[in-house]
Structures are given as structure tokens and as C-alpha cells.
Amino acid sequence: MQPAATVVLIDGSAALLELGEQVLRDSGHRVLVTSDPLEALALTHTLRVDLVIADAAGLEPFRQQPHAPQLLEIGAAGESARSTALRRPFSLTQLQDAVALALGIGE
């Protein structure tokens, strides 16, 4: 069994934060949720964070860090798939699968 990863989920939707937290916890991960990317960034300075999930704007502060955790971008429907691993709307199963892929679980 893989050790639990610490995952930070950033989104403006309280519903997505609640459901995402529940499904990722059920998958065995430690999950922190916030709507504020800068709050999430501060967490990475005090905790070991393995993965940050957010839209492009939410991930921007992390892309500028020399030792950033893995990043999983949530894109809007219709966006190009160049770097977006998860597109809205997505199912909870798709979220679980994208997290496992980003973390290299099951490879």
C-alpha cells in the first residue's frame, strides 16, 4: 500500500472543496482545502505537500517556487489540453484518477 500523500485542493467552490476533500481522504490521502492560493503556498513552507490541485491562476504562485510540489491543473471546459490534466466538469472518479497519475500511484 502506498503511503498517504498530502494534497492541497484550491478552489472557489465550497462544494468542490467539500466533495474533493471527502473523496481524496477516502483514497487515503491527507487533504487540506482552501480558496486562497497564498494560504496554500504558506502551508507548503511549513508542511510537506506532495500535490497541489487548482486552476491555472491558483497554481501560478507555486510555479515560481524552486522546490514546488507536484501540480495538477484544473482547466475550464473547452481549454486546450496542453498542460491541463483535469477539465471541468469532471467526476470524482476522474479526480481520483488524475491525482493517482500525478502522484505516480499504480504505475
Side-chain angles (χ1 to χ4, degrees), residues 1 10 12 23-27 30 33 41 45 48 53-57 60-61 74 76 81 84 94-95 99 103 105:
M1 184 172 177
I10 306 166
V23 74
L24 294 175
R25 280 190 199 280
D26 289 348
S27 296
R30 288 181 295 270
V33 297
L41 183 62
H45 295 295
R48 189 203 88 212
I53 307 167
D55 62 17
E60 193 57 38
I74 299 173
T84 302
Q94 288 170 314
L95 174 61
V99 167
L103 293 170
I105 297 172

PDB file of all heavy atoms in Angstrom, residues 1 10 12 23-27 30 33 41 45 48 53-57 60-61 74 76 81 84 94-95 99 103 105:
ATOM      1  N   MET A   1       0.845  -1.194   0.000  1.00  0.00           N
ATOM      2  CA  MET A   1       0.000   0.000   0.000  1.00  0.00           C
ATOM      3  C   MET A   1       0.883   1.248   0.000  1.00  0.00           C
ATOM      4  O   MET A   1       1.861   1.325   0.732  1.00  0.00           O
ATOM      5  CB  MET A   1      -0.910  -0.030   1.219  1.00  0.00           C
ATOM      6  CG  MET A   1      -1.874   1.102   1.274  1.00  0.00           C
ATOM      7  SD  MET A   1      -3.051   0.822   2.625  1.00  0.00           S
ATOM      8  CE  MET A   1      -3.969   2.299   2.501  1.00  0.00           C
ATOM      9  N   ILE A  10      -7.257  23.713  -4.015  1.00  0.00           N
ATOM     10  CA  ILE A  10      -7.595  25.143  -4.002  1.00  0.00           C
ATOM     11  C   ILE A  10      -8.712  25.364  -5.012  1.00  0.00           C
ATOM     12  O   ILE A  10      -8.576  25.017  -6.187  1.00  0.00           O
ATOM     13  CB  ILE A  10      -6.391  26.008  -4.425  1.00  0.00           C
ATOM     14  CG1 ILE A  10      -5.164  25.688  -3.578  1.00  0.00           C
ATOM     15  CG2 ILE A  10      -6.745  27.495  -4.350  1.00  0.00           C
ATOM     16  CD1 ILE A  10      -3.869  26.253  -4.154  1.00  0.00           C
ATOM     17  N   GLY A  12     -12.574  27.975  -5.609  1.00  0.00           N
ATOM     18  CA  GLY A  12     -13.548  28.925  -5.089  1.00  0.00           C
ATOM     19  C   GLY A  12     -14.895  28.307  -4.775  1.00  0.00           C
ATOM     20  O   GLY A  12     -15.753  28.942  -4.170  1.00  0.00           O
ATOM     21  N   VAL A  23     -13.533  12.642  -1.101  1.00  0.00           N
ATOM     22  CA  VAL A  23     -13.123  11.540  -1.974  1.00  0.00           C
ATOM     23  C   VAL A  23     -11.620  11.280  -1.887  1.00  0.00           C
ATOM     24  O   VAL A  23     -11.184  10.123  -1.924  1.00  0.00           O
ATOM     25  CB  VAL A  23     -13.593  11.774  -3.433  1.00  0.00           C
ATOM     26  CG1 VAL A  23     -12.767  12.832  -4.138  1.00  0.00           C
ATOM     27  CG2 VAL A  23     -13.551  10.475  -4.214  1.00  0.00           C
ATOM     28  N   LEU A  24     -10.838  12.329  -1.727  1.00  0.00           N
ATOM     29  CA  LEU A  24      -9.386  12.131  -1.622  1.00  0.00           C
ATOM     30  C   LEU A  24      -9.004  11.537  -0.261  1.00  0.00           C
ATOM     31  O   LEU A  24      -8.084  10.725  -0.174  1.00  0.00           O
ATOM     32  CB  LEU A  24      -8.645  13.437  -1.904  1.00  0.00           C
ATOM     33  CG  LEU A  24      -8.789  13.936  -3.351  1.00  0.00           C
ATOM     34  CD1 LEU A  24      -8.131  15.295  -3.515  1.00  0.00           C
ATOM     35  CD2 LEU A  24      -8.242  12.927  -4.344  1.00  0.00           C
ATOM     36  N   ARG A  25      -9.709  11.911   0.795  1.00  0.00           N
ATOM     37  CA  ARG A  25      -9.482  11.274   2.105  1.00  0.00           C
ATOM     38  C   ARG A  25      -9.851   9.792   2.037  1.00  0.00           C
ATOM     39  O   ARG A  25      -9.150   8.942   2.579  1.00  0.00           O
ATOM     40  CB  ARG A  25     -10.300  11.964   3.199  1.00  0.00           C
ATOM     41  CG  ARG A  25      -9.679  13.242   3.693  1.00  0.00           C
ATOM     42  CD  ARG A  25     -10.401  13.730   4.943  1.00  0.00           C
ATOM     43  NE  ARG A  25     -10.130  15.124   5.177  1.00  0.00           N
ATOM     44  CZ  ARG A  25      -9.017  15.600   5.736  1.00  0.00           C
ATOM     45  NH1 ARG A  25      -8.081  14.774   6.115  1.00  0.00           N
ATOM     46  NH2 ARG A  25      -8.855  16.891   5.912  1.00  0.00           N
ATOM     47  N   ASP A  26     -10.972   9.504   1.368  1.00  0.00           N
ATOM     48  CA  ASP A  26     -11.388   8.114   1.214  1.00  0.00           C
ATOM     49  C   ASP A  26     -10.357   7.312   0.421  1.00  0.00           C
ATOM     50  O   ASP A  26     -10.276   6.090   0.571  1.00  0.00           O
ATOM     51  CB  ASP A  26     -12.753   8.019   0.524  1.00  0.00           C
ATOM     52  CG  ASP A  26     -13.898   8.489   1.413  1.00  0.00           C
ATOM     53  OD1 ASP A  26     -13.683   8.683   2.631  1.00  0.00           O
ATOM     54  OD2 ASP A  26     -15.007   8.676   0.879  1.00  0.00           O
ATOM     55  N   SER A  27      -9.559   8.000  -0.407  1.00  0.00           N
ATOM     56  CA  SER A  27      -8.491   7.347  -1.171  1.00  0.00           C
ATOM     57  C   SER A  27      -7.218   7.186  -0.341  1.00  0.00           C
ATOM     58  O   SER A  27      -6.220   6.670  -0.831  1.00  0.00           O
ATOM     59  CB  SER A  27      -8.175   8.154  -2.431  1.00  0.00           C
ATOM     60  OG  SER A  27      -9.285   8.182  -3.292  1.00  0.00           O
ATOM     61  N   ARG A  30      -3.984  12.669   2.933  1.00  0.00           N
ATOM     62  CA  ARG A  30      -4.222  13.790   3.846  1.00  0.00           C
ATOM     63  C   ARG A  30      -4.581  14.971   2.940  1.00  0.00           C
ATOM     64  O   ARG A  30      -3.869  15.244   1.980  1.00  0.00           O
ATOM     65  CB  ARG A  30      -2.966  14.116   4.646  1.00  0.00           C
ATOM     66  CG  ARG A  30      -2.644  13.080   5.698  1.00  0.00           C
ATOM     67  CD  ARG A  30      -1.399  13.466   6.490  1.00  0.00           C
ATOM     68  NE  ARG A  30      -0.200  13.484   5.653  1.00  0.00           N
ATOM     69  CZ  ARG A  30       0.592  12.438   5.457  1.00  0.00           C
ATOM     70  NH1 ARG A  30       0.335  11.290   6.025  1.00  0.00           N
ATOM     71  NH2 ARG A  30       1.670  12.540   4.689  1.00  0.00           N
ATOM     72  N   VAL A  33      -7.817  21.947   2.313  1.00  0.00           N
ATOM     73  CA  VAL A  33      -8.586  22.694   1.322  1.00  0.00           C
ATOM     74  C   VAL A  33      -8.601  24.178   1.670  1.00  0.00           C
ATOM     75  O   VAL A  33      -8.584  24.561   2.839  1.00  0.00           O
ATOM     76  CB  VAL A  33     -10.033  22.170   1.192  1.00  0.00           C
ATOM     77  CG1 VAL A  33     -10.048  20.725   0.699  1.00  0.00           C
ATOM     78  CG2 VAL A  33     -10.796  22.285   2.498  1.00  0.00           C
ATOM     79  N   LEU A  41       0.102  28.303  -0.396  1.00  0.00           N
ATOM     80  CA  LEU A  41       1.547  28.460  -0.559  1.00  0.00           C
ATOM     81  C   LEU A  41       2.228  28.505   0.805  1.00  0.00           C
ATOM     82  O   LEU A  41       3.271  27.873   1.009  1.00  0.00           O
ATOM     83  CB  LEU A  41       1.862  29.715  -1.365  1.00  0.00           C
ATOM     84  CG  LEU A  41       3.335  29.969  -1.664  1.00  0.00           C
ATOM     85  CD1 LEU A  41       3.921  28.845  -2.511  1.00  0.00           C
ATOM     86  CD2 LEU A  41       3.496  31.310  -2.365  1.00  0.00           C
ATOM     87  N   HIS A  45       5.315  25.874   3.067  1.00  0.00           N
ATOM     88  CA  HIS A  45       6.542  26.281   3.759  1.00  0.00           C
ATOM     89  C   HIS A  45       6.639  25.646   5.147  1.00  0.00           C
ATOM     90  O   HIS A  45       7.712  25.646   5.743  1.00  0.00           O
ATOM     91  CB  HIS A  45       6.628  27.797   3.865  1.00  0.00           C
ATOM     92  CG  HIS A  45       6.753  28.470   2.532  1.00  0.00           C
ATOM     93  ND1 HIS A  45       7.837  28.310   1.703  1.00  0.00           N
ATOM     94  CD2 HIS A  45       5.908  29.305   1.875  1.00  0.00           C
ATOM     95  CE1 HIS A  45       7.663  29.011   0.600  1.00  0.00           C
ATOM     96  NE2 HIS A  45       6.499  29.614   0.674  1.00  0.00           N
ATOM     97  N   ARG A  48       5.109  19.240   4.539  1.00  0.00           N
ATOM     98  CA  ARG A  48       5.496  18.573   3.294  1.00  0.00           C
ATOM     99  C   ARG A  48       4.224  18.332   2.495  1.00  0.00           C
ATOM    100  O   ARG A  48       3.343  17.584   2.899  1.00  0.00           O
ATOM    101  CB  ARG A  48       6.177  17.240   3.583  1.00  0.00           C
ATOM    102  CG  ARG A  48       6.785  16.627   2.316  1.00  0.00           C
ATOM    103  CD  ARG A  48       6.968  15.146   2.419  1.00  0.00           C
ATOM    104  NE  ARG A  48       5.705  14.549   1.978  1.00  0.00           N
ATOM    105  CZ  ARG A  48       5.197  13.428   2.421  1.00  0.00           C
ATOM    106  NH1 ARG A  48       5.797  12.753   3.347  1.00  0.00           N
ATOM    107  NH2 ARG A  48       4.053  12.971   1.979  1.00  0.00           N
ATOM    108  N   ILE A  53      -3.630  20.994  -6.217  1.00  0.00           N
ATOM    109  CA  ILE A  53      -4.632  20.951  -7.280  1.00  0.00           C
ATOM    110  C   ILE A  53      -5.343  22.293  -7.312  1.00  0.00           C
ATOM    111  O   ILE A  53      -5.887  22.737  -6.301  1.00  0.00           O
ATOM    112  CB  ILE A  53      -5.673  19.848  -7.018  1.00  0.00           C
ATOM    113  CG1 ILE A  53      -5.008  18.499  -6.779  1.00  0.00           C
ATOM    114  CG2 ILE A  53      -6.686  19.780  -8.164  1.00  0.00           C
ATOM    115  CD1 ILE A  53      -5.938  17.442  -6.218  1.00  0.00           C
ATOM    116  N   ALA A  54      -5.351  22.943  -8.486  1.00  0.00           N
ATOM    117  CA  ALA A  54      -6.016  24.240  -8.629  1.00  0.00           C
ATOM    118  C   ALA A  54      -6.108  24.592 -10.107  1.00  0.00           C
ATOM    119  O   ALA A  54      -5.524  23.912 -10.953  1.00  0.00           O
ATOM    120  CB  ALA A  54      -5.242  25.329  -7.889  1.00  0.00           C
ATOM    121  N   ASP A  55      -6.798  25.701 -10.394  1.00  0.00           N
ATOM    122  CA  ASP A  55      -6.797  26.195 -11.764  1.00  0.00           C
ATOM    123  C   ASP A  55      -5.479  26.914 -12.027  1.00  0.00           C
ATOM    124  O   ASP A  55      -4.629  27.034 -11.132  1.00  0.00           O
ATOM    125  CB  ASP A  55      -8.008  27.097 -12.032  1.00  0.00           C
ATOM    126  CG  ASP A  55      -8.035  28.357 -11.170  1.00  0.00           C
ATOM    127  OD1 ASP A  55      -6.995  28.737 -10.588  1.00  0.00           O
ATOM    128  OD2 ASP A  55      -9.105  28.972 -11.071  1.00  0.00           O
ATOM    129  N   ALA A  56      -5.285  27.392 -13.248  1.00  0.00           N
ATOM    130  CA  ALA A  56      -4.003  27.996 -13.632  1.00  0.00           C
ATOM    131  C   ALA A  56      -3.630  29.164 -12.723  1.00  0.00           C
ATOM    132  O   ALA A  56      -2.476  29.284 -12.301  1.00  0.00           O
ATOM    133  CB  ALA A  56      -4.047  28.443 -15.091  1.00  0.00           C
ATOM    134  N   ALA A  57      -4.586  30.018 -12.398  1.00  0.00           N
ATOM    135  CA  ALA A  57      -4.297  31.170 -11.545  1.00  0.00           C
ATOM    136  C   ALA A  57      -3.896  30.725 -10.142  1.00  0.00           C
ATOM    137  O   ALA A  57      -2.992  31.297  -9.532  1.00  0.00           O
ATOM    138  CB  ALA A  57      -5.506  32.099 -11.483  1.00  0.00           C
ATOM    139  N   GLU A  60      -0.233  29.476 -10.118  1.00  0.00           N
ATOM    140  CA  GLU A  60       0.823  30.423 -10.508  1.00  0.00           C
ATOM    141  C   GLU A  60       1.850  30.682  -9.404  1.00  0.00           C
ATOM    142  O   GLU A  60       3.049  30.651  -9.661  1.00  0.00           O
ATOM    143  CB  GLU A  60       0.215  31.733 -11.001  1.00  0.00           C
ATOM    144  CG  GLU A  60       1.205  32.629 -11.692  1.00  0.00           C
ATOM    145  CD  GLU A  60       1.895  31.952 -12.878  1.00  0.00           C
ATOM    146  OE1 GLU A  60       1.257  31.190 -13.611  1.00  0.00           O
ATOM    147  OE2 GLU A  60       3.113  32.204 -13.055  1.00  0.00           O
ATOM    148  N   PRO A  61       1.438  30.931  -8.147  1.00  0.00           N
ATOM    149  CA  PRO A  61       2.453  31.169  -7.106  1.00  0.00           C
ATOM    150  C   PRO A  61       3.389  29.977  -6.905  1.00  0.00           C
ATOM    151  O   PRO A  61       4.552  30.146  -6.554  1.00  0.00           O
ATOM    152  CB  PRO A  61       1.626  31.412  -5.844  1.00  0.00           C
ATOM    153  CG  PRO A  61       0.257  31.772  -6.306  1.00  0.00           C
ATOM    154  CD  PRO A  61       0.077  31.080  -7.626  1.00  0.00           C
ATOM    155  N   ILE A  74      -6.541  22.275 -12.955  1.00  0.00           N
ATOM    156  CA  ILE A  74      -7.941  22.100 -13.326  1.00  0.00           C
ATOM    157  C   ILE A  74      -8.239  23.149 -14.386  1.00  0.00           C
ATOM    158  O   ILE A  74      -8.109  24.345 -14.134  1.00  0.00           O
ATOM    159  CB  ILE A  74      -8.883  22.312 -12.126  1.00  0.00           C
ATOM    160  CG1 ILE A  74      -8.584  21.303 -11.023  1.00  0.00           C
ATOM    161  CG2 ILE A  74     -10.336  22.218 -12.579  1.00  0.00           C
ATOM    162  CD1 ILE A  74      -9.356  21.549  -9.742  1.00  0.00           C
ATOM    163  N   ALA A  76     -10.780  24.854 -17.484  1.00  0.00           N
ATOM    164  CA  ALA A  76     -12.181  25.064 -17.831  1.00  0.00           C
ATOM    165  C   ALA A  76     -12.530  24.242 -19.059  1.00  0.00           C
ATOM    166  O   ALA A  76     -11.669  23.921 -19.878  1.00  0.00           O
ATOM    167  CB  ALA A  76     -12.435  26.542 -18.089  1.00  0.00           C
ATOM    168  N   ALA A  81      -5.721  21.202 -24.181  1.00  0.00           N
ATOM    169  CA  ALA A  81      -5.253  20.198 -23.221  1.00  0.00           C
ATOM    170  C   ALA A  81      -3.739  20.210 -23.085  1.00  0.00           C
ATOM    171  O   ALA A  81      -3.158  19.275 -22.598  1.00  0.00           O
ATOM    172  CB  ALA A  81      -5.732  18.827 -23.664  1.00  0.00           C
ATOM    173  N   THR A  84      -3.260  20.857 -19.139  1.00  0.00           N
ATOM    174  CA  THR A  84      -4.352  20.633 -18.207  1.00  0.00           C
ATOM    175  C   THR A  84      -4.632  19.148 -18.077  1.00  0.00           C
ATOM    176  O   THR A  84      -4.917  18.481 -19.052  1.00  0.00           O
ATOM    177  CB  THR A  84      -5.623  21.370 -18.681  1.00  0.00           C
ATOM    178  OG1 THR A  84      -5.321  22.748 -18.804  1.00  0.00           O
ATOM    179  CG2 THR A  84      -6.757  21.187 -17.717  1.00  0.00           C
ATOM    180  N   GLN A  94     -12.769  10.763 -11.883  1.00  0.00           N
ATOM    181  CA  GLN A  94     -11.728  11.411 -12.696  1.00  0.00           C
ATOM    182  C   GLN A  94     -10.740  12.168 -11.813  1.00  0.00           C
ATOM    183  O   GLN A  94      -9.543  12.179 -12.087  1.00  0.00           O
ATOM    184  CB  GLN A  94     -12.356  12.351 -13.724  1.00  0.00           C
ATOM    185  CG  GLN A  94     -13.061  11.624 -14.841  1.00  0.00           C
ATOM    186  CD  GLN A  94     -13.874  12.567 -15.720  1.00  0.00           C
ATOM    187  OE1 GLN A  94     -14.603  13.427 -15.222  1.00  0.00           O
ATOM    188  NE2 GLN A  94     -13.741  12.396 -17.026  1.00  0.00           N
ATOM    189  N   LEU A  95     -11.231  12.788 -10.744  1.00  0.00           N
ATOM    190  CA  LEU A  95     -10.345  13.472  -9.802  1.00  0.00           C
ATOM    191  C   LEU A  95      -9.409  12.460  -9.150  1.00  0.00           C
ATOM    192  O   LEU A  95      -8.192  12.674  -9.098  1.00  0.00           O
ATOM    193  CB  LEU A  95     -11.163  14.211  -8.735  1.00  0.00           C
ATOM    194  CG  LEU A  95     -10.367  14.858  -7.602  1.00  0.00           C
ATOM    195  CD1 LEU A  95      -9.414  15.921  -8.131  1.00  0.00           C
ATOM    196  CD2 LEU A  95     -11.311  15.449  -6.558  1.00  0.00           C
ATOM    197  N   VAL A  99      -5.298  12.416  -9.664  1.00  0.00           N
ATOM    198  CA  VAL A  99      -4.413  12.521  -8.508  1.00  0.00           C
ATOM    199  C   VAL A  99      -3.459  11.331  -8.481  1.00  0.00           C
ATOM    200  O   VAL A  99      -2.251  11.493  -8.273  1.00  0.00           O
ATOM    201  CB  VAL A  99      -5.232  12.640  -7.195  1.00  0.00           C
ATOM    202  CG1 VAL A  99      -4.352  12.426  -5.972  1.00  0.00           C
ATOM    203  CG2 VAL A  99      -5.917  14.001  -7.134  1.00  0.00           C
ATOM    204  N   LEU A 103       0.615  11.609  -8.834  1.00  0.00           N
ATOM    205  CA  LEU A 103       1.470  11.131  -7.745  1.00  0.00           C
ATOM    206  C   LEU A 103       2.262   9.873  -8.129  1.00  0.00           C
ATOM    207  O   LEU A 103       3.076   9.398  -7.355  1.00  0.00           O
ATOM    208  CB  LEU A 103       0.635  10.849  -6.498  1.00  0.00           C
ATOM    209  CG  LEU A 103       0.004  12.072  -5.830  1.00  0.00           C
ATOM    210  CD1 LEU A 103      -0.988  11.639  -4.751  1.00  0.00           C
ATOM    211  CD2 LEU A 103       1.084  12.982  -5.251  1.00  0.00           C
ATOM    212  N   ILE A 105       0.982   6.895  -8.548  1.00  0.00           N
ATOM    213  CA  ILE A 105       0.446   5.739  -7.829  1.00  0.00           C
ATOM    214  C   ILE A 105      -0.129   4.756  -8.848  1.00  0.00           C
ATOM    215  O   ILE A 105      -0.859   5.141  -9.748  1.00  0.00           O
ATOM    216  CB  ILE A 105      -0.655   6.166  -6.837  1.00  0.00           C
ATOM    217  CG1 ILE A 105      -0.040   7.075  -5.782  1.00  0.00           C
ATOM    218  CG2 ILE A 105      -1.324   4.959  -6.209  1.00  0.00           C
ATOM    219  CD1 ILE A 105      -1.056   7.716  -4.858  1.00  0.00           C
TER     220      ILE A 105
END
